[in-house]
């Protein structure tokens, strides 16, 4: 998030795209509604009529995979009606002409055809967003999990810059991180192309810095992302896989391929708190401590580094992940040892400029939002004040591109996936909480009643859903939430798993799979 | 700034400060039931009344702003007598089952009855007799214990903004409920438990999976392990077991949690937890020591590195783990294994 969470409370317009906030980030969902009680107006663009749609001034029930077309059309209206922030464009941005040319053809009428919404609603949304003093865009995986995910994100930046809604308190571009420490994992360099603090592995001076800090020779060749590693392991070039706290058998697209990989990789280590669907394929399983059994920090979606504290002893002989990793390093001949996680944080601070001022003594009472370059720095509530990381904000003209897989005669429905309030990711934790299971006990597919009627399917009937990659039998839940050509399946469940069906096609830049759109056929059973 | 006197002490307070807050600033505690600093005070319960010189009646200190020269008594005889009367009136319709009440030790009614020496009501009248609503899997609602402070309704409608519960009926029959007086489970309730956390008495209480008294637990402040909001919460721990979770009133969650944060902790001591390293032998897992597991992994790693090089390794780090662990995982792969094939589930 470029803004802090509580800045939502003081914004005038909140534009939510590709985020089912009240179910997936419930406390932020509550804050959005508090802002609405304070007078903020809400715009929602989503393929499903999510709960927040009823709080919205404008609800755009877009066809999955058409975000860029919608965003271009909003910008077309802004420019057509002269609602852009000319001062901001002149002072803080460059390449405006390219954007202007690119959005020209995206009239509301043109985009309405692509997005399957009304042109008038597009106009209303554009006016509302552009005329706000302070406006916040909130988005999530509905934007990024597309083969055009990077285009979608850049289009969001285009819109925010066009209206000058960036780099101010309560105004910004706010992606919500879906897992407790996705932000921190990225910050810590658990990414193939960057060291901690997003320092590129391909930069010689960065390699030199880390070689000196860690006292080893390092590779400057960028590594592979998770989907690329899956592919490489499937093809046999990766022989040894080490999976810590992940369950790709349920979370990753195209489960049949993942299964093939895990079965065939030479050696697989899985480190987790429960026997997961993935761990079943391991050669060695290492039992890890749960969050309540260890000390450390998580960095939340607003970049706030916060303490995690040990409350109970680990189960059995389980160990904290940091202990396991350190002991294994030592076993392999790398002698560095740490007495506790705060010593690791001190090392992080010494090599990570944005965490430079962070240490446990400063996190005792309240977390700190990075960038926090030194001990005297109080942290940074919102980003891009005065200038962007690259100096001027760069507009990019972006064309709408269809999803990698579009519907046809054989596969006439669009499948989109997501989470529900009562479960989390692959249910390794929530699946073991009785009350949560009582709330949502089994998998289901949301299907429009009109589509169901045509197929002769009633509420609770088992239907067969098939994509080019697999088939699942699943109970139908009839709801107007989805349009007639769309079905939705939560991806939490290993049974009738949505990811047996999903497409592993990647965004060419971010390598994020297109989990939000694939083509499927539905049959009554 | 405004100058006033509370219990004979001179106090300075900013304009708009309430008497309650001004008193608090000099260490004087005034009892409250319906007050919640996140909400605009509505003075419903009256237990916070104080005597203001020149005022015709006692005033609710949570709603009255301080004025220049104000003279306040927070514990004068008439204030104390009024508070006692309020407590007697509440007790007239409150079961005295503190012995088995989940909230004993963490109940404001119990605390104030102790503080003001109220043993029993002495007032005889009609008694409430509501069935307990046990329909929600995580908490129950016992309207017989409700003191009608309205806090749950306000938290639900103004902070959580779900709007599942509200006041039903009027007068003596007013009670917390959902439309048509159906059971909670048939409402729009999202089981966040924020009403439960706010309830000052035993009307809303969690269905605990372990028995504990509030004085038996230690609390450990931590960050929720579910989504990326990073809610701050206190784990309640008894005998090396997490038995409850309470939200913390600070950024970013300001005293709110969702159902997963409030009630999703019960996986921690689940019997399915992995408790020892496991090595697969002939297709099935066999328990091993840590050294056996480490040795096997290290041997295999040396072997693969020798035969296929560093880029034959792939490491999946985890967005579930801490910063320190992610840092070590990428360091293990980069500095020790020698590859940048390290990633995590950010894209999934």
């Amino acid at each position: 998030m470029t803004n802090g969470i509580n800045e939502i409370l003081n914004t005038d317009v909140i534009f939510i795209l590709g985020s089912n906030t009240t179910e997936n980030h419930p406390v932020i969902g509550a804050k959005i509604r508090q802002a609405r009680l304070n007078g903020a107006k809400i715009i929602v663009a989503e393929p499903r009529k999510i709960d927040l749609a009823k709080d919205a001034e404008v609800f755009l029930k877009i066809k999955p995979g058409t975000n860029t077309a919608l965003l271009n059309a909003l910008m077309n209206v802004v420019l057509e009606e002269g609602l852009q922030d000319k001062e901001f464009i002149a002072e803080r941005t460059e390449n405006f002409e390219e954007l202007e040319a690119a959005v020209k053809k995206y009239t509301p009428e043109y985009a309405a055809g692509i997005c399957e919404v009304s042109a008038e609603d597009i106009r209303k949304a554009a006016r509302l967003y552009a005329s706000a003093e302070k406006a916040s865009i909130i988005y999530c995986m509905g934007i990024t999990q597309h083969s055009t995910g990077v285009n979608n994100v850049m289009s969001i930046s285009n819109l925010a810059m066009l209206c000058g809604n960036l780099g101010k308190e309560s105004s910004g571009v706010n992606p919500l991180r879906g897992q407790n420490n996705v932000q921190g994992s990225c910050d810590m360099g658990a990414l193939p192309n960057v060291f901690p603090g997003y320092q590129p592995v391909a930069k010689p001076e960065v390699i030199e810095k880390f070689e000196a800090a860690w006292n080893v020779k390092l590779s400057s060749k960028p590594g592979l992302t998770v989907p690329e590693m899956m592919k490489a392991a499937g093809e046999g070039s990766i022989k040894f896989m080490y999976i810590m706290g992940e369950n790709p058998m349920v979370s990753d697209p195209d489960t049949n391929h993942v299964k093939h990989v895990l079965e065939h990789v030479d050696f697989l280590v899985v480190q987790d708190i429960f026997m997961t669907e993935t761990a079943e394929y391991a050669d060695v399983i290492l039992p890890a401590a749960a969050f309540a059994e260890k000390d450390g920090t998580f960095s939340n979606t607003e970049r706030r580094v916060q303490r995690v504290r040990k409350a109970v002893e680990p189960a059995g002989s389980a160990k904290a992940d940091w202990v396991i990793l350190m002991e294994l390093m030592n076993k392999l001949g790398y002698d560095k040892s740490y007495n506790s996680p705060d010593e690791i944080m001190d090392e992080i601070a010494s090599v990570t400029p944005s965490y430079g001022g962070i240490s446990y003594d400063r996190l005792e009472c309240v977390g700190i939002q990075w960038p926090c370059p030194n001990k005297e720095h109080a942290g940074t509530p919102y980003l891009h004040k005065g200038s962007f990381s690259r100096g001027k904000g760069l507009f990019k003209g972006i064309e709408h591109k269809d999803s990698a897989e579009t519907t046809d005669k054989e596969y006439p429905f669009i499948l989109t996936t997501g989470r529900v309030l009562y479960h989390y990711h692959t249910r390794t934790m929530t699946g073991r909480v009785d009350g949560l299971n009582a709330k949502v006990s089994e998998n289901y597919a949301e299907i429009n009643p009109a589509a169901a009627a045509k197929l002769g399917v009633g509420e609770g009937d088992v239907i067969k859903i098939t994509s080019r990659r697999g088939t699942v039998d699943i109970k139908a839940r009839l709801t107007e939430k989805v349009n007639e050509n769309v079905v939705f399946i939560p991806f939490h469940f290993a049974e009738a798993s949505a990811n047996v069906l999903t497409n592993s096609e990647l965004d060419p830049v971010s390598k994020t799979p297109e989990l939000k759109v694939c083509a499927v056929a539905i049959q009554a059973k | 700034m405004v100058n006033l006197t509370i219990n004979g002490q001179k106090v300075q307070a900013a304009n708009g400060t309430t008497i309650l807050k001004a008193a608090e600033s000099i260490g004087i505690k005034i009892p409250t039931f319906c007050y919640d600093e996140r909400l605009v005070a509505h003075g419903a319960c009256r237990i916070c009344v104080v005597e203001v010189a020149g005022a015709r009646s006692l005033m609710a200190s949570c709603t009255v702003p301080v004025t220049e020269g104000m003279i306040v008594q927070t514990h004068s005889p008439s204030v104390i007598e009024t508070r006692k009367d309020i407590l007697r009136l509440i007790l007239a319709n409150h079961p005295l089952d503190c012995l088995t009440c989940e909230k004993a030790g963490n109940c404001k009614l119990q605390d104030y009855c102790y503080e003001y020496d109220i043993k029993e009501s002495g007032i005889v009248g009609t008694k409430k007799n509501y069935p307990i609503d046990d329909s929600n899997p995580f908490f129950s609602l016992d309207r017989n214990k409700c003191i009608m402070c309205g806090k749950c309704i306000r938290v639900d409608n103004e902070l959580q903004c779900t709007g599942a519960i509200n006041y039903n009926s009027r007068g003596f029959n007013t009670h917390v409920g959902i439309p048509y007086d159906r059971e909670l489970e048939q409402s729009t309730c999202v089981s966040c438990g924020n009403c439960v956390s706010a309830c000052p008495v035993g009307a809303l209480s969690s269905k605990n999976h372990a028995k504990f008294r509030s004085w038996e637990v230690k609390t450990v402040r931590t960050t929720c392990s579910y989504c990326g909001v990073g809610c701050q919460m206190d784990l309640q721990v008894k005998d090396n077991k997490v038995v409850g979770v309470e939200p913390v009133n600070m950024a970013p969650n300001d005293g709110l949690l969702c159902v997963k944060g409030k009630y999703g902790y019960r996986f921690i001591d689940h019997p399915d937890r992995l408790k020892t390293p496991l090595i697969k032998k002939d297709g099935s897992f066999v328990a091993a020591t840590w050294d056996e597991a480490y040795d096997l992994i290290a041997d295999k790693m040396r072997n693969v590195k020798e035969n296929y090089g560093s880029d034959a390794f792939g490491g999946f780090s985890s967005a579930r783990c801490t910063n320190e662990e992610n840092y070590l995982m990428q360091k293990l792969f980069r500095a020790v294994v020698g590859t940048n094939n390290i990633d995590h589930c950010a894209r999934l």
Side-chain angles (χ1 to χ4, degrees):
Chain A
M1 291 173 79
T2 67
N3 300 114
I5 290 169
N6 279 331
E7 289 173 46
I8 291 170
L9 297 171
N10 300 314
T11 191
D12 305 314
V13 168
I14 305 171
F15 182 13
I16 301 153
L17 301 98
S19 159
N20 182 5
T21 326
T22 51
E23 293 203 58
N24 296 329
H25 299 87
V27 169
I28 292 183
K31 302 234 165 177
I32 290 170
R33 285 180 164 152
Q34 285 179 29
R36 184 175 169 273
L37 289 180
N38 292 340
K41 301 272 189 277
I42 293 173
I43 306 165
V44 173
E46 256 279 329
R48 297 163 68 220
K49 193 174 180 198
I50 54 169
D51 218 19
L52 273 174
K54 69 169 188 276
D55 300 287
E57 209 76 8
V58 187
F59 170 48
L60 298 148
K61 197 176 187 183
I62 61 168
K63 179 183 168 187
T66 63
N67 292 296
T68 298
L70 173 71
L71 289 156
N72 278 348
L74 294 170
M75 291 187 272
N76 176 293
V77 176
V78 170
L79 287 169
E80 198 59 39
E81 303 190 1
L83 303 172
Q84 70 271 36
D85 186 335
K86 295 191 183 93
E87 201 179 314
F88 189 92
I89 296 166
E91 282 172 17
R92 302 260 334 244
T93 70
E94 57 194 25
N95 209 28
F96 172 65
E97 299 69 29
E98 183 182 308
L99 177 84
E100 205 176 16
V103 303
K104 196 118 212 146
K105 77 169 188 211
Y106 290 87
T107 60
E109 283 70 21
Y110 176 67
I114 299 172
C115 306
E116 299 176 356
V117 296
S118 96
E120 208 32 55
D121 282 345
I122 294 177
R123 287 199 175 85
K124 261 167 76 181
R127 287 170 195 148
L128 202 54
Y129 177 77
S131 57
E133 180 68 28
K134 290 178 284 183
S136 175
I137 300 180
I138 290 176
Y139 71 88
C140 199
M141 293 307 210
I143 285 294
T144 52
Q145 286 179 338
H146 291 279
S147 56
T148 55
V150 169
N151 283 353
N152 292 337
V153 172
M154 290 199 292
S155 300
I156 287 176
S157 310
N158 281 341
L159 175 65
M161 292 197 296
L162 185 69
C163 301
N165 287 329
L166 202 53
K168 295 190 290 189
E169 199 174 330
S170 298
S171 272
V173 171
N174 296 305
L176 304 181
R177 312 304 309 245
Q179 301 183 55
N180 55 334
N181 201 31
V182 176
Q183 185 63 56
S185 302
C186 295
D187 300 345
M188 292 301 106
L191 292 170
N193 57 338
V194 290
F195 284 102
Y198 307 95
Q199 302 172 79
V201 298
K203 268 196 174 172
E205 62 270 30
V206 171
I207 289 285
E208 254 174 61
K209 170 182 167 174
F210 279 90
E211 284 184 341
W214 293 345
N215 200 22
V216 286
K217 278 301 282 177
L218 293 169
S219 165
S220 58
K221 181 182 155 200
L224 303 177
T225 60
V226 164
E228 289 170 327
M229 283 192 264
M230 281 292 176
K231 191 161 173 272
E235 291 163 359
S237 59
I238 283 186
K239 306 282 183 195
F240 187 108
M241 272 183 138
Y242 193 133
I243 301 180
M244 171 172 82
E246 274 199 50
N247 189 11
M249 271 299 288
V250 183
S251 63
D252 289 23
D254 196 355
T255 310
N256 290 327
H257 179 251
V258 176
K259 182 167 182 256
H260 169 84
V261 170
L262 298 180
E263 276 171 353
H264 288 87
V265 70
D266 276 11
F267 202 79
L268 175 64
V269 180
V270 172
Q271 185 168 313
D272 216 313
I273 62 172
F274 287 109
M275 176 65 84
T276 62
E277 289 78 5
T278 301
E280 299 280 358
Y281 294 92
D283 294 286
V284 180
I285 301 176
L286 302 175
F291 82 108
E293 300 164 346
K294 62 187 179 185
D295 286 304
T297 56
F298 294 151
S299 298
N300 78 349
T301 191
E302 56 170 357
R303 299 165 281 104
R304 190 185 294 274
V305 186
Q306 305 189 108
R307 277 299 313 275
V308 174
R309 291 185 182 86
K310 180 175 171 175
V312 291
E313 290 303 319
S317 71
K319 297 184 183 192
D321 295 279
W322 69 268
V323 175
I324 301 173
L325 295 168
M326 179 184 73
E327 288 178 350
L328 191 57
M329 275 176 162
N330 297 159
K331 204 75 160 182
L332 290 163
Y334 188 82
D335 281 339
K336 179 81 186 168
S337 69
Y338 310 89
N339 292 310
S340 57
D342 65 311
E343 292 181 13
I344 307 174
M345 182 51 87
D346 291 342
E347 182 175 320
I348 293 167
S350 72
V351 294
T352 314
S354 51
Y355 279 64
I358 291 181
S359 58
Y360 277 26
D361 56 324
R362 294 190 67 191
L363 301 177
E364 200 43 45
C365 295
V366 62
I368 298 175
Q369 286 171 281
W370 68 258
C372 175
N374 57 59
K375 292 271 184 216
E376 288 69 46
H377 198 285
T380 311
Y382 64 92
L383 301 177
H384 311 312
K385 184 181 180 180
S387 81
F388 295 102
S389 330
R390 71 180 290 279
K392 294 224 172 193
L394 183 67
F395 279 114
K396 283 274 201 188
I398 295 163
E399 290 292 332
H400 160 75
K401 261 175 65 185
D402 281 337
S403 303
E405 209 173 69
T406 49
T407 51
D408 54 24
K409 256 202 170 125
E410 209 182 333
Y411 299 104
F413 289 90
I414 300 170
L415 167 70
T416 191
T417 66
R419 289 179 178 167
V420 302
L421 173 64
Y422 298 101
H423 285 292
Y424 178 74
H425 230 58
T426 68
R427 285 177 71 248
T428 24
M429 302 188 299
T430 54
R432 289 181 169 88
V433 178
D434 291 344
L436 296 173
N437 276 331
K439 283 287 187 181
V440 180
S441 57
E442 57 178 349
N443 211 357
Y444 61 89
E446 286 179 359
I447 178 169
N448 185 282
K454 279 184 199 158
L455 294 163
V457 169
E459 176 73 26
D461 289 355
V462 175
I463 53 175
K464 186 190 196 67
I465 305 187
T466 309
S467 78
R468 289 183 174 86
R469 292 150 297 278
T471 298
V472 297
D473 291 340
I474 191 167
K475 273 191 185 165
R477 189 179 280 190
L478 274 50
T479 169
E480 303 273 356
K481 243 178 169 176
V482 288
N483 278 345
E484 260 194 82
N485 56 349
V486 175
V487 279
F488 167 83
I489 305 180
F491 71 80
H492 304 292
F493 291 84
E495 302 79 30
S497 173
N499 282 323
V500 168
L501 305 167
T502 50
N503 191 356
S504 57
E505 185 72 24
L506 306 180
D507 179 281
V509 181
S510 72
K511 314 289 182 190
T512 301
E514 188 150 72
L515 293 166
K516 294 296 185 230
V517 179
C518 75
V520 296
I522 304 178
Q523 287 171 285
K525 282 265 298 183
Chain B
M1 293 300 265
V2 172
N3 297 291
L4 70 157
T5 310
I6 303 179
N7 298 353
Q9 279 191 68
K10 297 250 181 272
V11 191
Q12 259 204 343
N15 270 329
T17 308
T18 59
I19 297 173
L20 179 72
K21 280 281 164 195
E24 218 176 76
S25 74
I26 52 167
I28 297 170
K29 275 195 180 162
I30 298 173
T32 63
F33 285 121
C34 70
Y35 179 75
D36 185 315
E37 59 183 20
R38 298 169 296 174
L39 299 166
V40 176
H42 66 158
C45 74
R46 317 310 289 180
I47 196 77
C48 72
V49 286
V50 293
E51 198 174 325
V52 176
R56 278 184 305 173
S57 58
L58 300 181
M59 302 179 100
S61 64
C62 69
T63 59
V64 179
V66 293
T67 55
E68 188 61 36
M70 193 179 238
I71 298 168
V72 180
Q73 289 293 334
T74 66
H75 288 76
S76 66
S78 74
V79 166
I80 287 174
E81 207 35 58
T82 303
R83 285 188 192 144
K84 285 184 170 185
D85 281 344
I86 293 169
L87 291 171
R88 283 187 200 106
L89 283 164
I90 292 174
L91 273 201
N93 238 313
H94 190 95
L96 296 177
D97 63 350
C98 303
L99 290 179
T100 52
C101 180
E102 278 296 333
K103 278 279 184 73
N106 188 24
C107 169
K108 283 193 161 187
L109 183 58
Q110 195 182 42
D111 292 346
Y112 299 149
C113 283
Y114 174 73
E115 189 179 335
Y116 289 89
D117 288 318
I118 301 295
K119 233 176 174 167
E120 55 199 348
S121 170
I123 301 166
V124 186
T126 317
K127 289 269 185 190
K128 291 186 284 193
N129 187 17
Y130 293 101
I132 293 172
D133 186 341
D134 239 344
S135 62
N136 185 285
F138 306 103
F139 59 87
S140 42
L141 168 60
D142 182 351
R143 295 178 180 88
N144 304 308
K145 291 184 180 172
C146 177
I147 60 167
M148 291 308 294
C149 70
K151 223 166 164 178
C152 55
I153 289 172
R154 296 195 64 199
V155 166
D156 175 39
N157 286 274
E158 297 174 43
L159 299 176
Q160 169 60 28
C161 307
T162 293
I165 51 173
N166 218 313
Y167 299 104
N168 281 356
S169 303
R170 290 290 173 269
F172 180 78
N173 294 321
T174 310
H175 59 276
V176 175
I178 71 160
Y180 311 110
D181 267 332
R182 290 187 293 184
E183 287 195 313
L184 272 173
E185 204 48 4
Q186 280 146 38
S187 72
T188 55
C189 168
V190 291
S191 301
C192 61
N194 289 321
C195 59
V196 181
S197 304
C199 179
V201 295
L204 281 158
S205 58
S206 294
K207 293 178 177 171
N208 294 316
H209 70 316
K211 290 219 167 215
F212 68 93
R213 287 303 192 190
S214 63
W215 57 84
E216 294 177 312
V217 297
K218 66 165 185 173
T219 60
V220 178
R221 186 151 300 177
T222 194
T223 303
C224 180
S225 74
Y226 284 109
C227 78
V229 178
C231 293
Q232 296 300 289
M233 57 198 212
D234 283 336
L235 301 179
Q236 298 176 301
V237 182
K238 181 188 170 186
D239 301 336
N240 196 40
K241 188 180 166 86
V242 178
V243 293
V245 171
E246 287 299 332
V248 182
N249 188 15
M250 64 184 281
N253 50 310
D254 299 313
L256 298 180
L257 286 176
C258 77
V259 60
K260 296 188 287 289
K262 174 86 178 163
Y263 296 113
Y265 64 88
R266 294 173 191 177
F267 70 89
I268 298 169
D269 58 358
H270 194 280
D272 287 355
R273 281 289 301 280
L274 291 169
K275 295 189 180 79
T276 169
L278 299 169
I279 294 175
K280 199 177 262 171
K281 284 180 183 154
D282 304 323
S284 48
F285 288 109
V286 180
T289 65
W290 278 98
D291 271 335
E292 284 165 350
Y294 284 147
D295 285 338
L296 177 63
I297 294 168
D299 278 354
K300 197 73 197 175
M301 282 177 112
R302 286 192 200 99
N303 190 279
V304 169
K305 195 168 171 176
E306 222 162 81
N307 291 314
Y308 304 99
S310 298
D311 286 339
F313 289 82
F316 289 29
S317 197
S318 176
R320 324 303 335 285
C321 292
T322 64
N323 286 322
E324 293 75 7
E325 290 159 349
N326 276 281
Y327 177 82
L328 283 196
M329 183 71 171
Q330 59 91 38
K331 190 175 175 183
L332 168 67
F333 273 77
R334 292 193 159 114
V336 184
V337 176
T339 180
N340 286 311
N341 288 344
I342 176 75
D343 195 12
H344 73 288
C345 38
R347 298 170 183 83
L348 301 162

